[in-house]
Amino acid sequence: MHPFRAAVENRDHAAIEALLAEDVVFTSPVAFRPYPGKAITAAILRGVMRVFTDFTYVREIGSDDGRDHALVFTAKVGDMEINGCDFLHFDEDGRIDDFTVMVRPLSAAQVLSAAMGAQFDRIKEEAFAASAAGTAAEGER
C-alpha cells in the first residue's frame, strides 16, 4: 500500500502533510486555478476529509519509476456518490510536488464544489495560520 493511501485511510493529517513538498501544486476538480504551496494544499485536503464520507481507495496505479501514482476512489458528499482519482507526482525527495484530482459525475462535482465552497473560509484560515507558523519557525533559525 502506498504511504499516501495509508495516511489518508488512517486520517493521519500529519503524515499526509509530511508527504507534501513545500512547492506542491494542487489542482482541484472544481476550481479553475491551481493552488500552489504546502499550506493551502494541506488545508484543502483537511477540508476534503471533512466533506467526504464513506471514502475508499479502490485501486492503485503506479509508474515503473515510482514518481507517478494514481489512486482511484469512491466517496459520498451528502447523499451523492462520487468517483474520482488522485494523480500524484513525486519529486526527487519522494514528496508530492503535483497533486491533481478528477471526479465524476458532473452532478457530484457540483455538490462537491458547493460543499468545499462552504469550507473555504476555514481552509484559508488554516493555510494562513500554517504559513505564519512556518515563517516564524524560519525566523528562529
Side-chain angles (χ1 to χ4, degrees):
M1 177 182 302
H2 193 276
F4 181 80
R5 177 181 180 173
V8 170
E9 289 181 349
N10 290 318
R11 302 183 66 81
D12 186 342
H13 298 287
I16 293 168
E17 192 166 342
L19 289 167
L20 300 174
E22 289 297 327
D23 62 347
V24 63
V25 175
F26 180 82
T27 304
S28 165
V30 296
F32 178 71
R33 289 195 170 93
Y35 296 94
K38 183 175 184 173
I40 189 67
T41 299
I44 290 168
L45 294 175
R46 284 190 299 274
V48 168
M49 291 178 91
R50 291 187 294 267
V51 166
F52 279 164
T53 59
D54 297 334
F55 184 91
T56 306
Y57 282 120
V58 295
R59 188 169 167 202
E60 291 185 44
I61 306 164
S63 65
D64 290 339
D65 66 2
R67 302 267 317 259
D68 290 287
H69 214 76
L71 296 163
V72 180
F73 64 85
T74 61
K76 285 187 176 181
V77 179
D79 292 332
M80 180 73 63
E81 292 186 19
I82 193 166
N83 302 95
C85 190
D86 293 337
F87 295 97
L88 311 174
H89 181 269
F90 294 85
D91 65 14
E92 307 79 38
D93 297 323
R95 289 193 170 63
I96 300 165
D97 62 1
D98 187 63
F99 192 131
T100 299
V101 180
M102 294 189 182
V103 297
R104 65 161 306 281
L106 177 59
S107 56
Q110 291 167 330
V111 170
L112 176 62
S113 180
M116 288 302 292
Q119 292 279 320
F120 221 76
D121 284 341
R122 181 175 175 183
I123 289 168
K124 288 189 293 187
E125 289 172 13
E126 289 178 7
F128 179 77
S131 292
T135 301
E138 288 290 318
E140 293 174 4
R141 291 182 195 177

